[in-house]
Amino acid sequence: MKDTYRHQGKRQQLVRTVQKKGITSEKVLEAIGQIPRHLFMDSSFEDHAYQDKAFPIAADQTISQPYTVAFQSELLQIKKGEKVLEVGTGSGYQTAVLCLLGAKVYSIERQRELYKKTKVFLGKLGYRPKYLSFGDGYKGIPEYAPYDKIIVTAGAPEVPTDLLSQLKVGGRLVIPVGVDVQTMTLFVRKSAKEFDKKEFGTFRFVPLLED
């Protein structure tokens, strides 16, 4: 588990790449510059770790493109100490970004193999989410609701109502919505029954699986 000067140099190049694509949040750029993404990937992909691309990980899932991670993180507008629900722990890379942004992270993963691996791995690297859960992301984690922010890291055909109900008034939910190609969508909860919705271009995610 080495993080060399070469890796660190490549990370700074990656920061410049996502910056050029329009990411402006200093905190998000700082997190991308700090996290050793090569350690979250299969060692055979290590040389590609700091390219702005998604790559396969275990259980037919992917580690998201750094720009996508940065884009979703920036849309969330996280403040230190906020409770954030992450649906789709995956490799734990996005989880690590949320932790560095100062969030109290509650994360849920549908693939048991990934859940077990990532739980151990994040601890080894020193990233400490509040709670990691194995289960159905469509249902969220109701026992710790409401959340200040919710992020979904897989494509959902529509927005799960359970997730909307677990969001605080004033809270933000960022979710890619669609089947083959997804539209990044932001919901801001205005009141018990009212949500503002904004769309931000198309992305490609693995599907959000339901039980």
Side-chain angles (χ1 to χ4, degrees), residues 58-60 110-118 134:
D60 291 328
R110 175 75 181 67
Q111 304 282 355
R112 190 179 286 278
E113 173 195 354
L114 265 181
Y115 161 71
K116 285 181 173 170
K117 188 177 166 188
T118 302
F134 167 70

Side-chain angles (χ1 to χ4, degrees), residues 89 114-124 127 132:
T89 318
L114 265 181
Y115 161 71
K116 285 181 173 170
K117 188 177 166 188
T118 302
K119 193 172 187 176
V120 171
F121 176 70
L122 281 171
K124 275 187 186 166
Y127 299 109
L132 286 182

Side-chain angles (χ1 to χ4, degrees), residues 1-89:
M1 301 232 317
K2 282 185 180 165
D3 185 28
T4 64
Y5 285 125
R6 187 175 70 89
H7 292 126
Q8 290 159 26
K10 285 187 166 190
R11 276 208 291 286
Q12 293 318 309
Q13 285 176 332
L14 178 60
V15 168
R16 288 192 286 275
T17 301
V18 297
Q19 213 170 4
K20 276 182 190 155
K21 288 185 175 182
I23 302 300
T24 57
S25 164
E26 287 298 329
K27 284 180 178 170
V28 170
L29 292 168
E30 217 170 273
I32 298 290
Q34 269 186 44
I35 297 167
R37 187 172 185 251
H38 62 283
L39 300 180
F40 289 80
M41 293 163 65
D42 189 303
S43 57
S44 57
F45 290 117
E46 194 190 308
D47 284 348
H48 305 285
Y50 297 108
Q51 292 177 11
D52 190 26
K53 287 180 183 169
F55 283 97
I57 55 170
D60 291 328
Q61 302 300 296
T62 58
I63 179 170
S64 289
Q65 180 184 354
Y67 170 71
T68 305
V69 170
F71 189 86
Q72 284 193 286
S73 302
E74 187 168 76
L75 269 187
L76 283 174
Q77 297 181 1
I78 289 168
K79 296 179 186 72
K80 199 172 177 170
E82 285 187 324
K83 263 168 84 175
V84 178
L85 171 63
E86 177 191 32
V87 177
T89 318

